[in-house]
Amino acid sequence: MKREAKLSTRNSSLSAPRSPLRDFLRALWAIVWKDLSAEWRSRELLTAMLIFSLLVILIFNFALELDARARASVTAGVLWVTFAFAGTLGLNRSMATEKDRGCLNGLLLAPVDRSAIYFGKAIGNLIFMFTVELIVLPVYSVLYNINLFRPGLLLVILLGSIGYVAVGTLLSTMAVQARTRDILLPILLFPLIVPVMIAAVKASGGFLQGLPWIEVSTWINLLIVYDVIFVAVAFMFFDYVVEE
Amino acid sequence: MITVKKLVKRFGPKIVLRGLDFEVESGEFVALLGPNGAGKTTFLRILASLSRPAMGEVRIAGYHLPGQASAVRRRLGVVSHQPLLYGDLTAEENLRFYGRMYAVSDLNARIAEVLDMVGLAPRRRDLVRTFSRGMQQRLAIGRAVLHDPDVMLFDEPHTGLDQDACVMLDTVLREVAARGRTVVMTSHDLARAADMASRFDVLSRGKIVASVRRDEMDTTDNLLAFYRDAVQEREA
């Protein structure tokens, strides 16, 4: 009886004054928290990304018997190939979790701006990507005997990862609704991320070879422009991508 | 509470809903019956703002869809045959997540109330992937009522449940309906629908072809005969 009385007087979530920005940030943070908590329990996504990344750099290490000079020139390529493929695994898994039990519908039913869902998922994916990169970089440094902890290179990794995840999150949301989602994402994603891959590889290579800032800045600017464009495009189109 | 006029939904060349009209008063419990492929789930997805109609008017609690979808979503609770829950989160964490998405105030107390209502308070800290299908479905109902919605949509909530789980789910459904909420439930199980609903609408080939109130149907056999007649007439 007491419980019924308590339940029947509830409607506070409807009557309370609402701030769109606060609702947006609350929903965004809720999604990030949910993704991190679920991953902390299962460790499925990070384990898959990490094992894959470490295997790739190990295989490259044995396949390419490189001298010190050649190593500096191929490092950027090997790193970004590793990040791109591992990132695809992560993006696929992250969205598959939403689709498997119909949870994507649960998100879409919430009375929040749908771009909050996009940004929440994208920030979660970015954290997973950074975590993998943070582990791969020292392992790569040891295996290839090259110092990768340079501020310029870290900036490129930051910008490149943002561009990759911005477009990857949008496309994985599209791909997850298809039966062939596992193969569809790379087919859609890789052609679109060619500009970011080229810019990231060129800029990373420039920093590793000690080129002056002026020679690298063009690629950095391209990365920034690419990031801004894709975040804006995803912000505008996410609603249409998820709508039936 | 719900008004639908001349609703049309197409998937490519296929027309699923063909000028459907539907009206539900506040506090009514409507069972939407119909054969497979009649368009029940599509219709419910449109009411839930998950799908856009091609034509027609949809209003829920005075707000129209899809234009005022956010206001509608705030007043809706949806339960489908999928639980919409995260297996790697506990029951409490799932409700906390959805509570934040709906900006539910006094969330801790509300989660405790809801878990108590669906009989899962002792399992609050267990991962949802360790729950049976019936427990997951009860928690799904808890998720759907967490923000105290005015309108509940149930899309075949008994699918995949054994008899005991169905009986338990019915108890929770009755409790949800008894609080004066407006409920629309699709079902293949006429006996279960007959037990709970105050009105029965038959959807066939994209249109509501018949409607009857509970007080006009004294037995489940009569309801079954009414349903068969309505569907056969439409098929013919």
Side-chain angles (χ1 to χ4, degrees), chain A residues 7 10 12 41 98 243, chain B residues 52 86 93 105 110 148:
Chain A
L7 286 170
R10 280 193 45 78
S12 49
R41 292 259 165 62
E98 300 294 348
E243 192 103 338
Chain B
R52 233 170 235 267
Y86 295 91
E93 286 169 343
S105 56
R110 181 61 180 159
D148 200 14

Side-chain angles (χ1 to χ4, degrees), chain A residues 60-113:
Chain A
F60 271 118
N61 188 37
F62 291 122
L64 311 169
E65 289 180 6
L66 304 167
D67 55 35
R69 225 179 64 192
R71 235 178 274 150
S73 61
V74 299
T75 288
V78 172
L79 269 183
W80 282 104
V81 165
T82 307
F83 294 155
F85 287 138
T88 314
L89 283 183
L91 290 168
N92 250 335
R93 186 67 213 138
S94 168
M95 265 302 162
T97 313
E98 300 294 348
K99 194 69 182 171
D100 284 345
R101 290 164 184 261
C103 296
L104 186 59
N105 283 341
L107 293 180
L108 298 178
L109 285 167
V112 295
D113 192 312

